[in-house]
Amino acid sequence: MAIISCPGCGKKVSDKAATCDHCGFMLGAHDSESLARKSRLQRSQQLSRLVSQQMLAILLFIAGIGAFFYDWGTTGMGPWIPYIGGVLAAISFIWYLITRGRIYILKKQR
Ligand SMILES: [Zn+2]
């Protein structure tokens, strides 16, 4: 018996189950090879989504750091931009760490 990801909802189900416990997807209607292919495809799509999220987080982090150190002047929004940049850098750094962790977990799964 093996544990696979349900093609319907992505949750873990036994490959011997006729229907998914979580969403009722008819697993029996598909042979195990097409199920494995589907879950592989789903995983590589999720992985590439996470990788582009990670890239975006790095870009936002760099932009935030840049805004933090740049001299925006003392008029209008000028004095506030470094604070916004700092907050942006902090948020994107946390986002980056979360995305990294999710990529790590995804790669560890078989
Ligand atoms: Zn399901």
Side-chain angles (χ1 to χ4, degrees):
M1 193 181 93
I3 298 294
I4 55 166
S5 298
C6 168
C9 65
K11 287 179 180 150
K12 303 262 170 294
V13 286
S14 160
D15 64 345
K16 295 285 181 285
T19 57
C20 172
D21 294 336
H22 308 286
C23 68
F25 187 87
M26 298 287 285
L27 298 165
H30 307 265
D31 58 279
S32 61
E33 197 188 320
S34 83
L35 284 178
R37 199 163 49 230
K38 254 193 192 129
S39 83
R40 261 202 308 277
L41 187 72
Q42 217 170 39
R43 242 181 58 196
S44 69
Q45 281 171 345
Q46 199 185 356
L47 193 65
S48 65
R49 253 200 314 273
L50 284 174
V51 167
S52 47
Q53 272 184 32
Q54 185 180 244
M55 283 299 298
L56 194 63
I58 292 168
L59 285 176
L60 281 176
F61 179 73
I62 292 167
I65 292 291
F68 185 74
F69 286 108
Y70 185 78
D71 182 14
W72 295 92
T74 51
T75 53
M77 281 291 285
W80 294 100
I81 294 175
Y83 292 105
I84 297 166
V87 171
L88 182 71
I91 291 169
S92 51
F93 184 66
I94 293 164
W95 186 28
Y96 168 79
L97 287 181
I98 292 169
T99 313
R100 261 279 24 142
R102 289 179 66 193
I103 289 172
Y104 177 74
I105 291 165
L106 199 69
K107 279 188 173 166
K108 240 175 58 173
Q109 288 173 349
R110 291 163 168 272

